[in-house]
Amino acid sequence: MTGSIFSDYKIGNLTLDNRIVMAPMTRGFADNETGEVNYLIADYYGKRARYGAGLIITEGIAINELAKGTYGIPGIYTHRQILSWKKVTQEVHQYKTKIFAQLWHVGRVSHQDILKGYTPVAPSAIGANGHVHRLRKPFQAPKSLSNLEVYQLIDDYKQAAKNAMEAGFDGVEIHAAHGYLIDQFISEKTNDRQDEFGGSLQNRLRFLDLIIKEVKEVVPKNRISIRISEKKDDDKGYVWECPEEMVCAITGILSKHQLKIAHPSVDNYGDTLQNDQRSLHELFRQCWDETLIAVGNIDPNKGAAIIEENQADLIAFGQLFITNPDLVIRLRANQKISLYYSKEQLECLH
Ligand SMILES: Cc1cc2nc3c(=O)[nH]c(=O)nc-3n(C[C@H](O)[C@H](O)[C@H](O)COP(=O)(O)O)c2cc1C
């Protein structure tokens, strides 16, 4: 389905007012102790809704106590966290905007100082290189999850998804990208398990597969987005050996579950992959017939062209939405859009 960036877009019974998506962005504004979000966060998302975003995907939200990788990360595993998110969804739903909760577990890229004394968990006891965001200590060597714990985690994803729907979200995005927990299962460098979750690509994708299977029980399949990336935040040089095999295997799982939304993540939309002549989005377009979200340093004019040329169905903007709560209005009016504004300009915007 082609159209303009401002035309509405249907995914089953979910109608977006336009094709403009606010990309998920961690802000670290939640209460660090309780993982609850407050009225400032409701106001932050509410503004982007009031000014006309079609779909907001929230910052990564921790699915359980061990899912956090820095300070100020919200959660969706306690009753009070659910109640706090209700204020956000109610604020956003005053307008026509839809909002998905991004379900997140960072796995090994964390530290016991963030996790109330608990050791980070991962598919295998393989440490990450680098430092914990804001804590500035090296990532701690993770504990390898037992087979039973992996199944418990799959349940945690399901419960978090159920909680998100109870909090009034329109859907969820499963964060399987950027080198976090699900991606740590997928990558051969971070997974040397001997059980059904390690070894072949099919086995390494089983964790994602089973999470989708469970989440589908509590969220309609047209309201589940999957975020995938080649890039890993803790391993800048990482590339897929055979991108086509990887993308087809992933889209195979999405299709098997009849999911409708894929959200591949890259820093620069259109860049060709190192081991393929195509970009990540081109590969998805080839292997995947359903809704595709484009993202990655997209210039607004380019965004409109991507939709008109049917390269993707929705366009996500990240940083531009931080500095431009009124991004959609500016796009419609063809106004200046910048990553940088003067203090006076910002005061007018907020
Ligand atoms: C401050 C910041 C926080 C981010 N946090 C997340 C996150 O929680 N989950 C996620 O999937 N991507 C996250 N991203 C990546 C964005 O969703 C997006 O893919 C990236 O910023 C590229 O889009 P842009 O060039 O339009 O900003 C973050 C990006 C930024 C700038």
Side-chain angles (χ1 to χ4, degrees), residues 22-27 57-61 73 102 104 173 175-178 180 227 231 233 263-269 295-298 316-322 339:
M22 179 175 173
M25 280 178 294
T26 293
R27 305 308 313 275
I57 304 174
T58 67
E59 62 209 278
I61 306 178
I73 299 303
Q102 191 185 57
W104 194 24
E173 176 165 280
H175 194 344
H178 301 172
Y180 296 115
R227 195 151 219 215
K231 73 184 179 105
D233 284 357
H263 186 183
S265 170
V266 289
D267 288 336
N268 286 299
Y269 178 84
V295 72
N297 196 20
I298 296 178
F317 296 101
Q319 293 153 87
L320 284 181
F321 253 119
I322 294 182
L339 267 182

Side-chain angles (χ1 to χ4, degrees), residues 230 268 270-280 282:
E230 176 183 50
N268 286 299
D271 279 1
T272 49
L273 296 160
Q274 192 168 310
N275 288 332
D276 199 284
Q277 284 162 355
R278 290 157 292 186
S279 71
L280 184 59
E282 279 173 323

Side-chain angles (χ1 to χ4, degrees), residues 207-220:
F207 186 52
L208 174 64
D209 186 7
L210 293 181
I211 289 170
I212 296 173
K213 179 170 173 278
E214 292 304 319
V215 168
K216 241 176 48 173
E217 300 275 317
V218 290
V219 181

Side-chain angles (χ1 to χ4, degrees), residues 68-82:
K68 302 178 182 188
T70 185
Y71 294 106
I73 299 303
I76 189 99
Y77 51 89
T78 72
H79 180 59
R80 289 180 61 99
Q81 289 166 356
I82 299 170

Side-chain angles (χ1 to χ4, degrees), residues 88-205:
V88 176
T89 58
Q90 281 163 2
E91 183 72 27
V92 166
H93 287 152
Q94 290 185 69
Y95 312 100
K96 284 180 169 172
T97 303
K98 302 294 188 293
I99 181 163
F100 278 20
Q102 191 185 57
L103 304 182
W104 194 24
H105 192 309
V106 302
R108 67 177 193 160
V109 289
S110 194
H111 192 281
Q112 63 183 20
D113 290 2
I114 304 282
L115 303 175
K116 299 185 176 162
Y118 290 99
T119 305
V121 295
S124 302
I126 301 170
N129 289 322
H131 287 77
V132 180
H133 183 244
R134 286 174 67 191
L135 179 68
R136 301 205 179 119
K137 287 189 183 175
F139 293 123
Q140 192 177 345
K143 173 181 151 321
S144 161
L145 288 156
S146 71
N147 187 269
L148 180 64
E149 285 169 333
V150 176
Y151 282 98
Q152 279 164 350
L153 262 168
I154 293 166
D155 274 350
D156 288 349
Y157 273 95
K158 180 183 190 176
Q159 187 61 48
K162 195 165 176 245
N163 294 348
M165 297 313 272
E166 190 187 327
F169 284 101
D170 299 287
V172 298
E173 176 165 280
I174 297 172
H175 194 344
H178 301 172
Y180 296 115
L181 182 67
I182 299 176
D183 210 6
Q184 289 158 27
F185 273 86
I186 299 173
S187 165
E188 70 293 348
K189 278 176 81 174
T190 43
N191 180 348
D192 64 7
R193 297 181 70 89
Q194 305 296 313
D195 62 5
E196 69 270 35
F197 295 101
S200 65
L201 177 57
Q202 196 193 1
N203 278 2
R204 285 182 277 124
L205 284 168

